[in-house]
Amino acid sequence: MTNDLAGTVERSSFFVGGRWRPPAGTERVDMFEAATGSPFGVAALAGTADVDAAVSDALHGPWGRATGAERAATMRRLGVALTARAKGTAALVSRENGMPRSLSIGANGFAPPMMLDYYAGLAEQLDVDDLRSGTLARVRVRRGPVGVVAAVTPWNYPQALAAMKIAPALAAGCTVVLKPAPETALDAYVWAEAALEAGLPDGVLNIVPGGREAGAHLVAHPGVDKVAFTGSTAAGRAIGEVCGRLLRPVTLELGGKSAALLAEDADLDAFLAALPEVSLANNGQTCHACTRILAPRHRYREIVDAITDTVRSLPVGDPLDRDTRIGPLVSGAQRDRVLGLVAAGRAAGARATTGGGVPEGRERGWFVEPTVFADLDNDAAIAREEIFGPVLCVLPYDGEDDAVRIANDSEYGLGGTVWTTDPGRGQALADRIRSGTVGVNHYALDVLGPFGGIKASGLGRELGPEGLSPYVALKSVYLTPESR
C-alpha cells in the first residue's frame, strides 16, 4: 500500500474492527486523476459480506459505556492525527475529484479536526444527567448513544461530510460504519490511519467503500440503528423510504438549487468578489451553491455583463495549482452530463454569455468551462435542475416580492444568499426565503450553526448542537417523588 502524492495509491483492504481486513470478493475500482484522466490508484469495493462484517464489529465494544470526557480525549487525539495528514489528504482529494487545492486544504484537511474538537466539547457535557422533579415522579433523563450508525457519504467534499457524521456520532458514544463513494475511496482511509494512531477502540470506526449495492445493504442492515446520508435527492428518497418502513432514524442532506438575491441596492463588486466561493465552489460540485442569480430588471444587463466578465476571468486548470479557481469535474461521466445540460439549455433558447464547452487546451481530464446563461426565466430546465457543475443562470425580477417568489420557486431549499448594503433589509429578506440556510452578504458554513435543508433538500440537520441530537438516545427513568 502506498500513499505518495506523485505515485500510485492502492487500497486493497478494508478497515474493520480496528484492523486491515481483506475483502470477501474481488471487485475493485480504478481511480483516474480528474485533471488528466490518467489512472493513479485502485481500491477494493465492498460487497454485502464485507458490510456484514463491518456492522458485526461495530456492534461490540466499550465505546458507548465510556464517559463523555474519555471519548472527548480520544476524539481530540484523532483530530491531531488528522491535522498531521491534512495537506496530503487535501491533495489526494483534489486528485480524486478535481477540487482546487486552495479549497480542499480547508474543507478536507483542517475542517474534520475542527469538528472533532467542537463535538468533543459537547461530549463532555453528556456526562451529567438531567434530574427533573415533577408532581408524580422525579425523572432522571439519561442521554446515551443511539447505537450503530451507517454513514453514507458522497464524493464532492468527502472528508468534511464524513466528519459531519463521524464527529457527533463519536461524541454520543455511537459506533460508525462509513461507506464512502467509490470515486473518493482512497482518501477515506486517512481516517483509519488516524484512528489507529489515536488509539480509537476497535470497531468504533469501520470503513468499507462500495457502490450502490453495498450502500443499500448497509442502510437496510438489521444491525444498524441510525442512517446519516449525504447525496442526491433521488438516492435520499430511496433511503428515506427504507428507513421509514424500518422506523429507523435517518438524516438526509440532499440536493439544492440555491438563489443569490441581489437587492436593488446590492454592492455588485462585493458580490463579484465572493462569487467564486458562493456560486462556483468546488467547480460547482457543491450542494448549496447559489447557481441561480436573481438581478433587478433595470440592472439586469449590467449584472449579466459583470458576472460574465468575472466568470470568464477565473483561472481554469490543475486543481493542485495554487492559482486555479476552477478545476476539473470528478469524472468523464459527470463532465458529459453537465455538457449535455448546457447543450439542452442552449437548445431551449437560453444565451450562454461565456463558456459552454471544454476549455481550450484542457481536452485531457474532465474539464468544463465555467458557463453563464442569461435571457431565461425560472421555468427553464437549467434553472430548476441541480447541474453540479460550473454553470450559472442569471434571472431578472421585478420588485422585491417577485425576487422572493422566484427564490422560493424551487423544489429545493438548502442554501441561498441575499446581497444588500442595508443589513436590516438583508435579514428581513433572508427570513422570507424558504431554505435551511441563508447568508447575508456572504455564505460560510460554521460548525456552530445547524446545516440542512427543507423540501427536496432533505431531513434533519448536521453541525451545531442540533447535529448531536440525532445520535443521542433519551431515556426517562422514573423515580419516586421526593417526600413533601
Side-chain angles (χ1 to χ4, degrees):
M1 179 176 64
T2 63
N3 193 17
D4 178 13
L5 179 61
T8 298
V9 184
E10 182 176 354
R11 295 291 189 179
S12 56
S13 300
F14 304 126
F15 186 68
V16 175
R19 62 191 184 279
W20 299 106
R21 180 188 180 107
T26 59
E27 187 176 4
R28 293 154 67 91
V29 60
D30 292 322
M31 311 296 292
F32 295 91
E33 193 131 16
T36 64
S38 299
F40 82 102
V42 63
L45 289 184
T48 57
D50 301 302
V51 170
D52 289 341
V55 174
S56 177
D57 275 42
L59 285 168
H60 307 289
W63 184 250
R65 298 190 297 273
T67 66
E70 290 168 341
R71 293 196 297 270
T74 304
M75 290 171 66
R76 291 191 173 107
R77 291 197 302 271
L78 180 61
V80 169
L82 288 173
T83 298
R85 295 163 169 79
K87 292 182 178 180
T89 303
L92 179 57
V93 173
S94 294
R95 297 179 75 189
E96 290 174 310
N97 72 3
M99 180 185 292
R101 194 172 183 178
S102 58
L103 172 61
S104 189
I105 190 64
N108 296 299
F110 294 111
M114 180 179 66
M115 291 185 221
L116 284 165
D117 184 66
Y118 173 75
Y119 281 105
L122 295 187
E124 293 169 330
Q125 301 174 23
L126 293 176
D127 287 337
V128 180
D129 291 344
D130 186 4
L131 187 61
R132 307 171 187 176
S133 295
T135 303
L136 301 178
R138 285 178 299 142
V139 183
R140 183 161 59 99
V141 181
R142 304 208 63 188
R143 294 169 176 83
V146 73
V148 177
V149 174
V152 182
T153 54
W155 46 259
N156 59 329
Y157 288 79
Q159 290 284 313
L161 292 171
M164 288 165 72
K165 298 157 183 57
I166 293 171
L170 297 186
C174 299
T175 56
V176 178
V177 178
L178 173 66
K179 192 214 75 71
E183 293 87 347
T184 47
L186 298 174
D187 71 87
Y189 287 107
V190 172
W191 283 94
E193 295 170 350
L196 288 170
E197 183 176 312
L200 194 69
D202 295 350
V204 173
L205 178 60
N206 307 273
I207 302 172
V208 283
R212 292 182 181 180
E213 181 183 6
H217 188 66
L218 175 61
V219 165
H221 198 288
V224 166
D225 299 291
K226 187 250 185 308
V227 175
F229 172 77
T230 299
S232 72
T233 295
R237 291 187 197 278
I239 290 171
E241 289 178 4
V242 171
C243 291
R245 176 172 52 81
L246 296 173
L247 299 180
R248 178 166 295 168
V250 61
T251 303
L252 302 171
E253 196 271 283
L254 309 177
K257 191 71 175 181
S258 303
L261 194 166
L262 276 61
E264 298 275 355
D265 64 342
D267 182 338
L268 184 54
D269 288 338
F271 172 70
L272 295 174
L275 183 148
E277 289 74 35
V278 169
S279 298
L280 291 171
N282 195 18
N283 320 319
Q285 299 174 139
T286 299
C287 54
H288 57 72
C290 291
T291 54
R292 293 183 298 146
I293 301 170
L294 313 188
R297 193 174 296 276
H298 73 91
R299 298 184 65 185
Y300 186 70
R301 291 302 167 195
E302 169 202 1
I303 290 172
V304 167
D305 290 346
I307 290 172
T308 299
D309 290 344
T310 298
V311 170
R312 185 184 289 131
S313 71
L314 296 176
V316 178
D318 187 335
L320 297 179
D321 189 322
R322 292 180 182 274
D323 296 327
T324 292
R325 300 303 295 274
I326 303 293
L329 300 186
V330 68
S331 67
Q334 181 67 8
R335 177 202 58 192
D336 294 346
R337 176 183 175 276
V338 171
L339 290 174
L341 289 168
V342 168
R346 279 178 160 153
R351 177 171 63 95
T353 63
T354 188
V358 174
E360 185 177 353
R362 293 290 174 183
E363 290 75 19
R364 293 184 66 212
W366 322 128
F367 290 90
V368 172
E369 290 178 304
T371 303
V372 178
F373 276 108
D375 301 338
L376 73 165
D377 60 31
N378 199 51
D379 292 329
I382 54 172
R384 304 195 74 82
E385 294 185 36
E386 185 179 36
I387 295 176
F388 232 57
V391 181
L392 307 180
C393 297
V394 188
L395 310 170
Y397 70 81
D398 298 298
E400 198 169 272
D401 290 343
D402 190 42
V404 171
R405 178 192 64 80
I406 295 171
N408 291 336
D409 181 17
S410 172
E411 69 170 317
Y412 299 106
L414 182 58
T417 53
V418 174
W419 300 83
T420 173
T421 54
D422 181 345
R425 183 185 194 184
Q427 293 190 47
L429 282 169
D431 288 344
R432 295 178 65 188
I433 293 176
R434 297 194 64 232
S435 180
T437 64
V438 184
V440 178
N441 292 327
H442 83 144
Y443 187 95
L445 272 68
D446 192 288
V447 69
L448 292 175
F451 175 75
I454 61 174
K455 301 189 284 187
S457 290
L459 299 170
R461 294 294 182 269
E462 296 183 308
L463 301 181
E466 294 83 0
L468 179 61
S469 298
Y471 301 92
V472 174
L474 298 176
K475 177 186 288 185
S476 292
V477 180
Y478 302 120
L479 307 174
T480 57
E482 293 178 319
S483 59
R484 300 186 183 279

